[in-house]
Amino acid sequence: MDKYWAPFVVHHQETLQHLVIRSAITQKFCVAMASCTKLKTLQLAGRLTHEENGALLWNACRTLHTLRVENCPLPTWDQSAVVSTSRLQRLIVDKAQWRCNALELLKQCPQLRYLSWRDSVSIMLPLQSMGQALLKDHQWPLLEELNLELITSKDQDLAMIIKGIHRLVSLRLVRSRFGPRCVTAIRMHHSTLTTLNLAMCSQVTSPMIQTLLTTMTALESLITGRIHYLDIVNGAPWVSVRLQRLVIAIDMKKPPKVELEEQRKKRKPSHRDITAKSPFETHQCAVFQRLSTLERLRFLTLSSPTLKQDEGQTLDLRLYAGLGSLSTLKRLETFSFKSLHQCMTIRDIKWIYKHWPCLRTISGQFAIVLSNRYEITSFLKRRGITVRGCPPH
């Protein structure tokens, strides 16, 4: 590295803005990086530097706007020898091995706007201390995008951070312990939060998801878990009408009382029972009606990352069941669903092709009957629509 790359970096010190390093850094190379007055983005990965070169490495970060650290050890943060990374606006940490105090590093970034932290085995991001710094010390006043993954801190610690952020625009808490306190805290950002990702958050319940959809008015992207149809039907109308991307599993499993009532009516049928829709069918139509209000949707996935394909009962995607209500989704480009129990026909698919003019990709198993599945797949492929999730033929 010293023989070729250090002189190369020095030669381009007045123009070099982006640098990716995946090998050991020597003292000479650290000095070369520090000479780059316009360096904006630095990505570090793999085996990096000896502890004695730590101050030189941090000094090279003084002009950065973006620092990305992936699966590598970082030297101790020595405040007596290091220049503050006061210009840093984006920090991405992916399983880094920290020998320095993570919170002290964050405090050296007062202009931080975006923080992404995927936790490593060796150290946890001190969420409680970070929350206190946000609430009491008003640290990071410009922070508006937060991405935390594999963080196992408590619901109240996450809520403290959410509450402490002045203006939250994007929140990604994959595999976190997002719970009731977080739901309460996030509502203060109802007019600014545009992106929310709660994939694989085990403590997120159906009523919580309904609350989010009825309070977060600025949402454009929502990735979440499973919501039960009765929470939708019995709840308030959705106000997240700006949504362009929605990933959600709608659970259509009937409660025991509904099952017993339907069985009782089947034993004593009447003319009215035969011609009228059952309460469950009416509820399913109501769920379709609720989805139809999201007219800006471009990407709709009716499943969740943790949902198995054959788990539970989902929406019946047929015109008979209420699919026709979704004629408002004129902007839909991608439609995906998980279910082994669909009984769609070519009539349903022709309706989709006619009423969703922007559709480019559809994913799912359309029908139990193999011949119907092949007929549907062939129809869509002949019209240039990409089909995924169906067996080849």
Side-chain angles (χ1 to χ4, degrees), residues 119 124 127 149-155 158 175-177:
D119 206 20
M124 300 285 286
L127 290 187
E149 187 171 349
L150 298 175
I151 299 294
T152 56
S153 292
K154 298 177 181 178
D155 178 34
L158 290 168
R175 295 187 181 93
S176 73
R177 296 184 180 179

Side-chain angles (χ1 to χ4, degrees), residues 130-235:
M130 183 180 176
Q132 291 173 350
L134 279 162
L135 281 173
K136 297 179 181 179
D137 304 331
H138 305 290
Q139 293 276 352
W140 315 290
L142 302 178
L143 184 62
E144 59 183 15
E145 296 183 66
L146 188 63
N147 177 3
L148 304 179
E149 187 171 349
L150 298 175
I151 299 294
T152 56
S153 292
K154 298 177 181 178
D155 178 34
Q156 56 263 36
D157 295 335
L158 290 168
M160 190 186 306
I161 290 179
I162 294 171
K163 191 181 297 184
I165 296 176
H166 177 67
R167 182 179 181 272
L168 189 59
V169 174
S170 176
L171 181 63
R172 187 176 185 270
L173 296 176
V174 175
R175 295 187 181 93
S176 73
R177 296 184 180 179
F178 186 100
R181 295 188 183 185
C182 286
V183 173
T184 301
I186 206 173
R187 293 173 71 174
M188 65 179 289
H189 302 288
H190 68 92
S191 63
T192 61
L193 189 68
T194 61
T195 302
L196 179 59
N197 188 338
L198 301 176
M200 294 174 279
C201 293
S202 59
Q203 296 186 21
V204 174
T205 64
S206 176
M208 290 182 196
I209 298 172
Q210 173 65 13
T211 298
L212 292 172
L213 287 165
T214 56
T215 56
M216 308 305 292
T217 56
L219 275 181
E220 296 178 4
S221 175
L222 174 62
I223 300 175
T224 187
R226 186 198 303 253
I227 184 171
H228 194 267
Y229 77 93
L230 286 179
D231 287 318
I232 300 175
V233 172
N234 298 327

Side-chain angles (χ1 to χ4, degrees), residues 307-351:
L307 184 65
K308 296 180 180 178
Q309 195 174 41
D310 59 348
E311 184 180 344
Q313 186 175 353
T314 58
L315 277 176
D316 184 349
L317 300 175
R318 292 181 293 176
L319 291 171
Y320 162 80
L323 177 66
S325 297
L326 301 187
S327 60
T328 56
L329 307 187
K330 303 295 185 184
R331 305 181 187 183
L332 198 63
E333 299 175 18
T334 300
F335 178 54
S336 177
F337 60 91
K338 277 186 180 180
S339 174
L340 296 178
H341 310 290
Q342 294 296 335
C343 298
M344 300 176 75
T345 65
I346 193 66
R347 176 172 173 263
D348 304 313
I349 295 300
K350 286 182 177 180
W351 181 92

Side-chain angles (χ1 to χ4, degrees), residues 228-230 252-261 280:
H228 194 267
Y229 77 93
L230 286 179
M252 297 299 297
K253 185 178 180 181
K254 303 172 188 176
K257 289 184 179 180
V258 175
E259 288 276 11
L260 289 173
E261 181 65 18
F280 175 77

Side-chain angles (χ1 to χ4, degrees), residues 369-382:
V369 179
L370 198 59
S371 58
N372 288 352
R373 207 183 306 165
Y374 286 161
E375 182 183 12
I376 290 170
T377 303
S378 298
F379 174 86
L380 292 170
K381 286 184 175 180
R382 286 197 303 268

Side-chain angles (χ1 to χ4, degrees), residues 245-250 297 299-304 332 334-338:
R245 179 186 298 273
L246 177 62
V247 178
I248 191 170
I250 298 178
L297 277 180
F299 307 93
L300 175 60
T301 299
L302 296 178
S303 69
S304 69
L332 198 63
T334 300
F335 178 54
S336 177
F337 60 91
K338 277 186 180 180

